[in-house]
């Protein structure tokens, strides 16, 4: 059933995001063509035209980032706590499955939004800068391989896991704040914002504790450790921190949907 929920969420949100991604890429290509005509063929365009194109381009990027956040909030609130909540909770699906389906969907679109933005930068980038970057990237990879050797895969894998947990924690913090705000009888939106600030502050406090504990354990010998061991220490600390935050926020959201939900 989780698979069906996930497919439903993807289909419901794809109709919003896919046109935005296509628009951004097409507009990036158009900008690239204008730049090539201007630089390589000496065709002069009105400066106002260039400013408008640049304004629209960055407007699209900001729009994608904002819409990603808005859809993330809307899908959780409307589907589970709004009018659709009556229907969704009549399905033979447990609350944790609803949470996971929306979490996975949000995380996927966050990653795709980021990748699309990076791709648009690569497209619009001046040709000479692009080829310089293509030369620097292999050099950087070679340097990383030289430093970490056979352990490069472990470092890369650990970094990816931490990144995934980072996105999950951020998304679940929004879900938890919305769920907590829903418990307030009036001004639910304002309450959710306040709850988010509270959760964020709490997460930062836990991070400070982690830094103090980690520092007391490793700070004296940290500079004497190999670069791999330093990276391992950072990754393990980050992994522990984001795992605790992610699990805690998931449990909190699940608890509210299990025990405190009242759609009347």
């Amino acid at each position: 059933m989780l698979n069906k929920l996930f497919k439903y969420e993807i289909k419901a949100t794809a109709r919003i995001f896919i046109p935005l991604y296509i628009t951004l890429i097409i507009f990036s290509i158009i900008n690239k063509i204008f730049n090539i005509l201007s630089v390589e063929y000496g065709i002069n365009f009105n400066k106002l035209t260039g400013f408008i194109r640049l304004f629209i381009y960055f407007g699209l990027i900001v729009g994608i980032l904002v819409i990603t956040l808005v859809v993330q909030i809307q899908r959780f609130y409307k589907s589970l706590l709004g009018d659709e909540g009556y229907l969704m909770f009549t399905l033979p699906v447990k609350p944790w499955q609803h949470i996971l389906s929306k979490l996975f969907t949000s995380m996927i679109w966050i990653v795709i939004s980021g990748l699309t933005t990076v791709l648009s930068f690569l497209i619009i980038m001046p040709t000479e800068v692009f080829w310089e970057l293509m030369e620097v990237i292999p050099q950087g990879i070679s340097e990383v391989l030289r430093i970490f050797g056979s352990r490069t895969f472990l470092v890369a894998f650990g970094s990816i896991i931490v990144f995934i947990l980072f996105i999950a924690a951020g998304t679940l913090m929004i879900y938890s704040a919305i769920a907590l705000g829903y418990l307030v009888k009036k001004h639910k939106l304002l309450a959710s914002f306040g709850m988010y600030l509270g959760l964020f502050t709490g997460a930062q406090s836990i991070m400070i504790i982690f830094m103090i504990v980690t520092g007391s354990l490793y700070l004296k010998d940290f500079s004497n450790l190999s670069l791999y061991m330093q990276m391992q220490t950072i990754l393990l600390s980050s992994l522990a921190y984001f795992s605790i935050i992610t699990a805690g926020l998931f449990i909190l959201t699940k608890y509210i949907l299990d025990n405190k939900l009242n759609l009347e």
Side-chain angles (χ1 to χ4, degrees):
M1 196 64 186
L2 179 60
N3 186 44
K4 292 182 179 179
L5 282 174
F6 177 67
K7 289 181 179 179
Y8 171 77
E9 286 295 321
I10 289 292
K11 289 180 180 179
T13 50
R15 67 189 67 175
I16 299 173
F17 288 109
I18 298 300
L20 284 173
Y21 298 151
I22 293 174
T23 302
L24 178 61
I25 296 302
I26 290 176
F27 198 78
S28 299
I29 294 172
I30 292 173
N31 268 310
K32 182 67 174 181
I33 293 172
F34 271 92
N35 291 336
I36 291 174
L37 292 175
S38 177
V39 175
E40 298 187 11
Y41 293 92
I43 300 176
N44 294 321
F45 296 98
N46 190 298
K47 290 184 178 180
L48 179 60
T49 303
F51 175 78
I52 292 174
R53 285 189 284 110
L54 193 63
F55 180 79
I56 294 174
Y57 172 72
F58 283 106
L60 283 170
I61 292 176
V62 173
I64 287 175
L65 297 177
V66 171
I67 290 174
T68 301
L69 177 62
V70 170
V71 170
Q72 189 179 41
I73 295 171
Q74 183 191 45
R75 291 301 304 172
F76 182 82
Y77 181 81
K78 186 177 179 181
S79 298
L80 299 182
L81 303 176
D83 296 335
E84 293 182 16
Y86 293 100
L87 175 62
M88 296 300 288
F89 283 103
T90 58
L91 299 174
V93 180
K94 295 182 179 180
W96 67 266
Q97 292 176 308
H98 284 296
I99 298 170
L100 283 183
S101 67
K102 297 185 184 305
L103 174 62
F104 292 157
T105 303
S106 293
M107 291 174 66
I108 286 174
W109 290 125
I110 289 171
V111 172
I112 295 177
S113 294
L115 292 175
T116 305
T117 301
V118 171
L119 177 59
S120 72
F121 279 131
L122 292 175
I123 292 173
I124 203 172
M125 187 180 293
T127 305
E128 62 276 10
V129 176
F130 174 81
W131 289 116
E132 288 177 5
L133 181 63
M134 292 301 101
E135 292 178 1
V136 170
I137 290 176
Q139 294 174 5
I141 294 174
S142 298
E143 184 65 17
V144 171
L145 290 171
R146 185 189 67 80
I147 294 173
F148 296 114
S150 59
R151 296 170 175 174
T152 302
F153 173 78
L154 293 176
V155 173
F157 180 75
S159 300
I160 292 172
I161 296 299
V162 170
F163 177 69
I164 291 173
L165 287 173
F166 169 75
I167 297 176
T171 303
L172 285 169
M173 188 173 292
I174 293 174
Y175 291 170
S176 297
I178 295 172
L180 287 169
Y182 183 81
L183 300 179
V184 179
K185 293 183 178 180
K186 295 182 179 180
H187 308 295
K188 296 182 184 296
L189 182 61
L190 184 61
S192 295
F193 181 73
M195 295 297 180
Y196 180 83
L197 293 179
L199 290 171
F200 182 80
T201 302
Q204 295 302 305
S205 300
I206 295 175
M207 178 183 287
I208 292 173
I209 294 173
F210 257 84
M211 291 174 64
I212 293 173
V213 172
T214 304
S216 63
L217 292 175
Y218 298 104
L219 189 58
K220 293 180 180 179
D221 300 322
F222 191 79
S223 59
N224 297 324
L225 297 175
S226 65
L227 188 57
Y228 171 74
M229 291 304 297
Q230 291 179 358
M231 181 62 71
Q232 184 184 61
T233 301
I234 294 172
L235 287 177
L236 289 177
S237 300
S238 300
L239 182 64
Y241 168 74
F242 284 116
S243 295
I244 291 173
I245 296 298
T246 301
L249 292 171
F250 180 84
I251 292 171
L252 174 61
T253 307
K254 178 181 178 298
Y255 174 79
I256 294 173
L257 294 185
D258 278 336
N259 302 287
K260 301 295 183 179
L261 190 63
N262 182 10
L263 297 175
E264 295 181 0

